[in-house]
Amino acid sequence: MDNVERQKFWDTLCSLTGEDIEADARTVKDTIIYPRFLYRFRSVSVSSIEALQTNKLYFSKANYYDDPFDTLIKINYDALHRYTKDLLASPSLYDRLSTLSEATGIAEQVWKDSIDQLKQLDVDVILSRIDAFLKANIQSYLKENMWSICFSEGATNEAMWLKYADQYKGFCVIYDLNDENNKLCGKQEKCKNCVVNSAGVSLYPVYYSDEGYDATDFAKNLMTAVLASNMFSPEIANKVIASLPNALWQQERITLVKSKCHEYDEEWRMLLRNNARGQVMQEWIPYGIAFGLRTSERDRLIITRSAQVAGIQHFFETFINDENRLDIREITLNAKE
């Protein structure tokens, strides 16, 4: 996808409300122009070879991204303060009372007693605590709870070979989006209890912009949940949190925008819809493997044998063409390989 196409995707993503997740997902998917192939650039290591042999793609938390600016957000604290003051004002609280009572099934008097206790608190103290909490925790919360697998759109991306394939000494794994038979997740007995299968995954292009993402609405929801958890009984707090807008699209917008200086990455991300614990992965047989310009004979043999174990059918090599550009061509393995 070019920049114009990614802009269209981003504008659509930012318009989603979260009221109907499945309808929203169809809407945003219609704006995405999927390439046939996506690429992952790898150095030769014990972990990358093990993943290659077993057809595994591991999700990574955002706090392991190489870019420290990834998932950094902006919060308009003035707008957040206005929202909080309005939320805690007596008319606003009581206006919400009947609606909350009807929606949650909790008696109105219970809500009223909780609100009367809340009114006794000093708003300025609450605001200062909210600011301190968000500044100390929201970024780490996001980095701990966003899981993704990163791909690139081009096999001859020189920057990607340099950054992620050990300066051309590694390899590139090629995935065919059109081949459903090679996607193993959801088709095996063990998939019944898999968090990835039950939660679902989505594949999106990354949008590049120096404006970043204004996550004030996300902060409002998080702040409301924290206030409810600290000031109400667990029963009431859980009802308040359940009544908040679905934050799925807010979180996905946070992880799908990067600075324009990374535009050359042509990045795509497979996102896990829910939080997870431990190591989570996808199983997907690659279409092929490409060797780097500087992949040693020893490493080339290790990669080849591992790819053959995994059932990979196509092998490629990179080369410098007559126009002094990085290029790629399919090869036939020789006898010793």
Side-chain angles (χ1 to χ4, degrees):
M1 291 177 68
D2 62 26
N3 295 337
V4 173
E5 292 161 345
R6 288 180 186 244
Q7 176 79 59
K8 181 180 178 181
F9 154 75
W10 177 253
D11 290 343
T12 303
L13 182 66
C14 289
S15 72
L16 303 180
T17 63
E19 294 179 6
D20 186 335
I21 295 297
E22 297 309 315
D24 284 349
R26 290 191 295 270
T27 297
V28 76
K29 188 174 181 179
D30 287 343
T31 69
I32 300 173
I33 301 173
Y34 292 94
R36 178 177 173 184
F37 297 110
L38 287 176
Y39 306 87
R40 272 176 69 77
F41 297 84
R42 315 292 287 159
S43 60
V44 178
S45 67
V46 172
S47 59
S48 67
I49 293 301
E50 184 275 337
L52 177 61
Q53 289 178 341
T54 55
N55 297 308
K56 291 177 180 176
L57 284 159
Y58 289 98
F59 284 86
S60 176
K61 292 180 183 179
N63 57 3
Y64 290 108
Y65 295 161
D66 63 334
D67 178 11
F69 294 94
D70 209 316
T71 72
L72 283 181
I73 58 174
K74 299 186 298 183
I75 297 175
N76 184 332
Y77 280 94
D78 288 339
L80 186 63
H81 293 170
R82 290 193 296 271
Y83 167 83
T84 307
K85 288 179 179 179
D86 177 66
L87 183 68
L88 298 177
S90 296
S92 295
L93 285 171
Y94 286 111
D95 285 346
R96 292 176 171 84
L97 186 60
S98 58
T99 303
L100 286 170
S101 299
E102 182 179 343
T104 63
I106 296 176
E108 187 169 334
Q109 186 59 47
V110 175
W111 279 108
K112 187 172 182 179
D113 291 344
S114 298
I115 290 171
D116 285 340
Q117 294 176 25
L118 191 58
K119 285 168 53 185
Q120 306 305 314
L121 300 174
D122 187 305
V123 174
D124 289 333
V125 171
I126 293 175
L127 291 176
S128 65
R129 289 178 178 174
I130 288 171
D131 286 359
F133 171 82
L134 291 176
K135 289 174 182 177
N137 295 287
I138 192 168
Q139 205 65 62
S140 60
Y141 169 85
L142 291 170
K143 287 181 176 289
E144 278 289 320
N145 290 281
M146 291 183 170
W147 295 75
S148 67
I149 301 171
C150 301
F151 303 87
S152 182
E153 199 167 324
T156 57
N157 189 317
E158 296 180 40
M160 302 302 281
W161 279 102
L162 284 168
K163 284 203 304 182
Y164 299 112
D166 193 16
Q167 300 182 6
Y168 296 96
K169 290 179 258 184
F171 61 103
C172 176
V173 191
I174 305 168
Y175 294 92
D176 186 351
L177 297 183
N178 293 346
D179 191 343
E180 293 297 325
N181 292 328
N182 279 0
K183 298 174 183 177
L184 304 180
C185 283
K187 301 175 182 177
Q188 306 169 75
E189 183 66 26
K190 64 182 179 181
C191 296
K192 292 180 179 179
N193 299 317
C194 175
V195 63
V196 177
N197 188 52
S198 60
V201 298
S202 301
L203 181 64
Y204 299 116
V206 168
Y207 171 68
Y208 299 98
S209 170
D210 287 331
E211 294 181 9
Y213 178 65
D214 187 336
T216 304
D217 285 342
F218 181 84
K220 289 177 183 177
N221 289 341
L222 182 60
M223 177 272 298
T224 303
V226 171
L227 279 176
S229 297
N230 284 276
M231 298 178 182
F232 295 148
S233 68
E235 181 187 18
I236 292 180
N238 290 337
K239 297 292 186 180
V240 171
I241 293 169
S243 71
L244 293 172
N246 192 302
L248 172 66
W249 302 122
Q250 294 178 15
Q251 292 189 73
E252 298 203 353
R253 289 194 284 266
I254 289 168
T255 197
L256 289 172
V257 60
K258 295 183 68 173
S259 298
K260 285 187 74 67
C261 65
H262 297 288
E263 210 164 35
Y264 58 81
D265 287 352
E266 300 178 298
E267 188 174 349
W268 289 68
R269 285 185 174 173
M270 180 182 288
L271 305 183
L272 183 63
R273 279 193 168 183
N274 289 350
N275 296 339
R277 293 288 180 268
Q279 217 171 38
V280 288
M281 54 84 181
Q282 284 269 287
E283 291 189 22
W284 189 359
I285 301 174
Y287 171 84
I289 292 293
F291 303 108
L293 290 173
R294 295 173 174 167
T295 308
S296 69
E297 287 299 318
R298 171 184 171 277
D299 285 346
R300 185 168 170 142
L301 185 59
I302 293 172
I303 295 164
T304 298
R305 289 178 175 173
S306 299
Q308 290 170 332
V309 168
I312 295 171
Q313 302 291 319
H314 302 274
F315 293 83
F316 300 82
E317 66 179 8
T318 51
F319 67 100
I320 299 174
N321 64 25
D322 292 339
E323 297 178 348
N324 289 331
R325 298 295 182 92
L326 186 66
D327 209 337
I328 186 170
R329 59 193 168 202
E330 189 163 5
I331 60 173
T332 301
L333 298 177
N334 59 43
K336 69 176 183 178
E337 293 176 321

